[in-house]
Amino acid sequence: MKYAVLATWKMAEEGTKKAAKLLAEGKDCGEAVIEGIAMVEDNPAFHSVGYGGRPNAEGRVFLDGGFMNGDTLHFGAVGSVEGFRSAVRIAASLQDGDANNFLVGEGAERYAEAHGFERRDNVTAETLELYEKEKERLKELSAYDGHDTVCFLALDQSGSLCAATSTSGLFMKQPGRIGDTPLPGVGYYADSKIGAAAATGMGEEIMKGALSYAAVRFLKDGLSAQEAAEKAVSELNDTLVERNGYANPMSLIVLAKDGSYGIGTNITFTYCYASDEEEATVHEIIVERE
Ligand code: ASP
């Protein structure tokens, strides 16, 4: 296979088409994953990423994002950033250098401002409407009452792999809360010699198993992409059920260096895949939860 792209949720469909087109033109995987995600960040119809994202407990939208270059293993990440158009673009720009690759809050915003990243108020009328409607019920809301992360993995024609993520995080999250999405090894990981992985679901649960890194290690041990994805999710799910009596939702996408892919999930999950052999397609995995 010459190139491939794998992304979380149906919301990534148009972005997957765009990323596949860029890869077909010979563009690198970094450009493909960033442009794919930026399309989702800019679309207010998707309520868990970028513009029109889910509000926190104070009715404000804070973004988390990450990027990893599978050739160098360099990563860039931002957490809890308010008032900028694209978390993933800011994150990716932080990959250079050996320090200051992960910035949060005010420091990340000052960096973005100083480096000319586009500002945008991501709170839309719909965000506020949702907030007003739900804030009375705040205490009754379960932790998984609305969120999702857009994650993109890409293999380019030179054999490089990249991973990137972006989210507004948990609906009604506490100010300052950061999930798995910007954490390398947890929300995403890429190694061009092995494969790449990225996660969506309840961040606090995904952190307990460093899910993306776990899957890439399983690939390194010789498992196929599908075996690695399933094993990473089922091991963590079973451990959490054994220790706590339940496991919150988590889904994982895995792309091997040969362009084959796998999915692990403990909930019904949609994802998009495209390659030089397959047009961009949305797939669904149905999981019945007790
Ligand atoms: N993982 C994200 C977070 O915990 C949310 C999601 O992907 O559903 O912030």
Side-chain angles (χ1 to χ4, degrees), residues 147-149 169-170 177 179-181 200-203:
H147 51 92
D148 281 336
T149 300
L170 290 190
R177 184 263 182 193
D180 59 305
T181 303
T200 176
M202 184 76 188

Side-chain angles (χ1 to χ4, degrees), residues 27-206:
K27 299 286 180 5
D28 71 67
C29 59
E31 187 173 341
V33 295
I34 291 166
E35 293 306 323
I37 286 187
M39 279 191 84
V40 184
E41 290 180 326
D42 282 348
N43 191 333
F46 304 132
H47 295 300
S48 56
V49 177
Y51 190 46
R54 295 277 177 191
N56 75 355
E58 295 174 341
R60 294 161 66 180
V61 173
F62 286 85
L63 307 177
D64 300 335
F67 173 88
M68 188 159 180
N69 177 327
D71 288 351
T72 59
L73 305 187
H74 282 194
F75 69 90
V78 290
S80 216
V81 168
E82 186 183 33
F84 284 89
R85 179 175 174 184
S86 171
V88 75
R89 288 191 200 279
I90 306 169
S93 75
L94 286 163
Q95 70 179 295
D96 299 322
D98 291 331
N100 303 306
N101 305 115
F102 191 162
L103 301 179
V104 301
E106 193 198 327
E109 289 161 11
R110 277 174 26 202
Y111 164 86
E113 178 78 49
H115 289 80
F117 285 94
E118 200 176 322
R119 288 198 148 274
R120 177 171 64 198
D121 180 359
N122 290 302
V123 176
T124 61
E126 256 182 286
T127 309
L128 285 179
E129 200 182 303
L130 185 67
Y131 177 71
E132 290 305 325
K133 198 169 120 214
E134 298 294 357
K135 82 175 173 200
E136 297 310 319
R137 299 202 300 132
L138 190 52
K139 290 197 183 67
E140 301 160 29
L141 287 174
S142 87
Y144 199 86
D145 269 336
H147 51 92
D148 281 336
T149 300
V150 62
C151 307
F152 267 68
L153 307 175
L155 168 73
D156 66 29
Q157 295 197 44
S158 63
S160 298
L161 283 161
C162 298
T165 58
S166 181
T167 190
S168 53
L170 290 190
F171 179 39
M172 295 298 202
K173 66 188 178 184
Q174 287 303 304
R177 184 263 182 193
I178 290 176
D180 59 305
T181 303
L183 303 179
V186 181
Y188 59 98
Y189 197 80
D191 182 334
S192 300
K193 294 194 171 173
I194 307 167
T200 176
M202 184 76 188
E204 286 75 355
E205 217 71 319
I206 293 164

Side-chain angles (χ1 to χ4, degrees), residues 241-257:
V241 170
E242 187 199 318
R243 308 280 176 95
N244 306 321
Y246 65 92
N248 282 304
M250 48 191 156
S251 306
L252 183 70
I253 58 173
V254 175
L255 185 65
K257 69 172 190 217

Side-chain angles (χ1 to χ4, degrees), residues 185-268:
V186 181
Y188 59 98
Y189 197 80
D191 182 334
S192 300
K193 294 194 171 173
I194 307 167
T200 176
M202 184 76 188
E204 286 75 355
E205 217 71 319
I206 293 164
M207 290 181 208
K208 292 169 187 140
L211 209 50
S212 297
Y213 186 69
V216 174
R217 287 298 304 205
F218 291 144
L219 280 179
K220 192 176 183 187
D221 291 344
L223 269 58
S224 70
Q226 184 54 36
E227 288 165 347
E230 265 177 46
K231 183 168 172 169
V233 171
S234 66
E235 271 195 358
L236 179 57
N237 182 80
D238 295 352
T239 301
L240 294 172
V241 170
E242 187 199 318
R243 308 280 176 95
N244 306 321
Y246 65 92
N248 282 304
M250 48 191 156
S251 306
L252 183 70
I253 58 173
V254 175
L255 185 65
K257 69 172 190 217
D258 65 358
S260 62
Y261 74 88
I263 307 294
T265 185
N266 64 1
I267 55 162
T268 292

